[in-house]
Amino acid sequence: MVLDARAFELDAETAHALHAALMPVFAERDLTLHAPDPTRLYLQGAALAEPRFARAELIPLDEMAGCEAHLGLPAGAEGAAWRRLVNDVQMTLHAHPVNAARVAAGALPVNSVWPWGLGHWAEIAPAMQVRRNSDPPTGTQHAPDPA
């Protein structure tokens, strides 16, 4: 059954351990896995634009939550790369000590990821130009560099 990540109540340490275990699975496909918080993973990489990934129809997590996973996995030749990736993720997570500890403690094991929401990373400028309503038309302020 597909569950939203919030159902697993992952703390940062657990999420970090699982993220570290999954990074090589994605890296061997020229993908980078980002984990900005315990409930979200994001993929980045030029491979996502390749037909093997880009042509698959991915169903949003909120539409699949509570449903059997096999009903929503990408189908056909277009979905094969995603199905292989999800399978490799499942094998990695199944054998992970974090999940053994979770099961022993009575918690749900984290046993898969749900791919959805292909898009493009926004280009982020190093500085923003901001104009206030009170500024004269030529006046600008620059936000400090994030570095």
Side-chain angles (χ1 to χ4, degrees), residues 76-87:
E78 296 84 8
W82 286 110
R83 290 190 310 273
R84 283 191 296 274
L85 175 59
V86 168
N87 185 66

Side-chain angles (χ1 to χ4, degrees), residues 39-128:
T39 64
R40 295 285 180 258
L41 296 173
Y42 297 97
L43 284 179
Q44 181 181 22
L48 292 172
E50 296 172 6
R52 65 184 170 136
F53 288 114
R55 290 188 180 157
E57 183 178 332
L58 303 176
I59 300 173
L61 177 64
D62 61 346
E63 290 180 27
M64 285 302 301
C67 299
E68 295 297 323
H70 71 276
L71 299 174
L73 286 173
E78 296 84 8
W82 286 110
R83 290 190 310 273
R84 283 191 296 274
L85 175 59
V86 168
N87 185 66
D88 289 350
V89 164
Q90 289 171 337
M91 291 171 40
T92 300
L93 293 173
H94 176 76
H96 200 281
V98 163
N99 275 323
R102 288 179 61 81
V103 170
L108 291 170
V110 178
N111 57 14
S112 193
V113 297
W114 188 257
W116 68 281
L118 281 179
H120 300 283
W121 285 75
E123 292 293 326
I124 300 174
M128 285 179 16

